[in-house]
Amino acid sequence: MEKQSSEIEVLQGLLESKSKYRKIIQAAIAKWVKDFQDGVIELKTADDLKTLIQLDIELQKGIRLDKRLQSRKKPRG
């Protein structure tokens, strides 16, 4: 039982971290788009945006997986 509680705490910590990382990435994407619209970024640097989007997608997948695992590990009363 104690091991299960520890695993749940670890998963909750991972979810919180991934959510924070997503917020950072989303802010970076918004900044990239604004800079692009303002002409600060030229089209040749679009790989940066692609990388940010890919990171965001991977984090979303991980968050969904962690939530599924967390729901399976909750003790049933």
Side-chain angles (χ1 to χ4, degrees):
M1 186 72 162
E2 199 171 304
K3 182 181 177 184
Q4 210 173 28
S5 176
S6 176
E7 289 175 359
I8 290 171
E9 286 177 18
V10 169
L11 284 173
Q12 287 173 333
L14 285 171
L15 279 171
E16 288 173 17
S17 293
K18 287 179 181 180
S19 292
K20 288 177 187 175
Y21 296 147
R22 279 208 66 219
K23 287 178 185 176
I24 292 167
I25 289 171
Q26 288 170 334
I29 289 170
K31 173 84 170 109
W32 190 98
V33 170
K34 183 182 180 323
D35 287 348
F36 177 72
Q37 290 171 338
D38 292 345
V40 176
I41 294 176
E42 296 179 19
L43 196 55
K44 63 184 177 184
T45 62
D47 282 340
D48 292 341
L49 178 61
K50 179 181 173 185
T51 300
L52 289 170
I53 292 169
Q54 288 172 336
L55 284 170
D56 190 47
I57 290 168
E58 290 303 314
L59 283 169
Q60 286 180 59
K61 288 179 189 175
I63 289 170
R64 283 194 300 270
L65 176 62
D66 289 345
K67 284 183 179 178
R68 279 192 301 234
L69 290 172
Q70 187 178 22
S71 68
R72 287 188 205 159
K73 294 201 179 275
K74 284 187 181 173
R76 295 191 173 118

